[in-house]
Amino acid sequence: NAGVTQTPKFRVLKTGQSMTLLCAQDMNHEYMYWYRQDPGMGLRLIHYSVGEGTTAKGEVPDGYNVSRLKKQNFLLGLESAAPSQTSVYFCASSWTSGLDEQFFGPGTRLTVL
Amino acid sequence: GQQVMQIPQYQHVQEGEDFTTYCNSSTTLSNIQWYKQRPGGHPVFLIQLVKSGEVKKQKRLTFQFGEAKKNSSLHITATQTTDVGTYFCAGNTGQEGTSYGKLTFGQGTILTVHP
């Protein structure tokens, strides 16, 4: 099993460009999450999903959109990238509730110039 | 909103010294999880604490959950170079229902071990 995979691993964007980050998990998990990690800020939740077809806002959702059309995939979109969105993005998944451990993907390092 | 504060932000130790990181929440937690992230890597789950006053051990690592379920600590005895990384606590205040699946992560403690 691959666990949680993320595509791409690295990306450089210019301000105003758009892109989609793809997360895939092969563990049949219901819950999926998108976090961003910035120095000194820990991991901050952007959006999450409690099942196929559902999404919800996390702590820092502005400037991002998500979709969960298939249970195994969770997409994070940036419609108009800004330098403040330069970060490392991690996807995670878990079986169900907050009592379950989260499995993280390898991360995507995004730079917005 | 819920805050989970973690201290210290950085800790430099000599190999063989002990290390402790502390996590404090502004609200009562349902449970707390601890993760380790190696340099350049992704967070990996270490352990979960659920009960008030709970203590769990994994070899040289000791995890505690406070009686009021608002604080937690991770203690490493006799650090080794393999312990290098960032240690995160993550607290869950959710009741069964809409917010039950969300964890709030602390800022992390970056541990450096000098050989």
Side-chain angles (χ1 to χ4, degrees):
Chain A
N1 291 345
V4 180
T5 58
Q6 292 183 233
T7 309
K9 289 185 170 54
F10 304 93
R11 186 73 185 270
V12 178
L13 290 178
K14 294 182 179 178
T15 296
Q17 288 185 318
S18 63
M19 78 163 295
T20 300
L21 282 68
L22 171 63
C23 176
Q25 54 94 5
D26 61 2
M27 296 173 281
N28 203 33
H29 287 170
E30 290 292 337
Y31 280 49
M32 296 188 74
Y33 315 83
W34 276 107
Y35 294 92
R36 59 177 289 172
Q37 183 175 29
D38 303 292
M41 303 288 287
L43 292 158
R44 291 183 293 169
L45 183 65
I46 304 171
H47 286 280
Y48 66 103
S49 169
V50 301
E52 182 179 316
T54 71
T55 63
K57 294 180 180 180
E59 181 185 354
V60 288
D62 294 342
Y64 306 94
N65 56 75
V66 288
S67 64
R68 183 110 181 259
L69 299 180
K70 292 183 178 181
K71 186 176 184 178
Q72 63 268 35
N73 296 336
F74 196 28
L75 279 63
L76 178 70
L78 286 74
E79 290 188 347
S80 180
S84 60
Q85 294 178 306
T86 294
S87 187
V88 179
Y89 292 86
F90 286 101
C91 176
S93 69
S94 64
W95 280 108
T96 52
S97 69
L99 281 176
D100 296 313
E101 69 175 279
Q102 293 189 9
F103 293 82
F104 284 80
T108 295
R109 184 173 294 277
L110 174 66
T111 301
V112 183
L113 303 175
Chain B
Q2 177 197 2
Q3 287 193 335
V4 176
M5 306 300 293
Q6 193 173 350
I7 56 169
Q9 188 173 356
Y10 302 95
Q11 187 74 58
H12 307 276
V13 300
Q14 290 293 131
E15 189 173 19
E17 291 181 339
D18 292 355
F19 159 76
T20 305
T21 176
Y22 301 90
C23 193
N24 292 287
S25 170
S26 56
T27 56
T28 302
L29 301 171
S30 301
N31 57 286
I32 193 161
Q33 298 179 356
W34 285 90
Y35 291 79
K36 177 183 178 181
Q37 182 179 25
R38 294 183 186 277
H42 59 275
V44 175
F45 175 82
L46 292 176
I47 209 161
Q48 175 169 266
L49 305 170
V50 179
K51 298 177 182 177
S52 169
E54 189 169 15
V55 178
K56 287 189 176 181
K57 293 189 176 184
Q58 288 181 348
K59 298 184 180 178
R60 294 177 295 104
L61 279 61
T62 302
F63 303 84
Q64 294 187 331
F65 202 10
E67 294 291 340
K69 300 183 74 173
K70 286 188 173 183
N71 57 74
S72 182
S73 65
L74 159 59
H75 179 81
I76 302 179
T77 303
T79 55
Q80 301 175 357
T81 55
T82 53
D83 295 326
V84 165
T86 302
Y87 292 85
F88 292 100
C89 61
N92 178 19
T93 62
Q95 298 299 312
E96 194 77 34
T98 57
S99 64
Y100 201 55
K102 288 189 297 181
L103 293 174
T104 299
F105 281 79
Q107 299 91 332
T109 296
I110 301 173
L111 173 64
T112 306
V113 181
H114 300 285

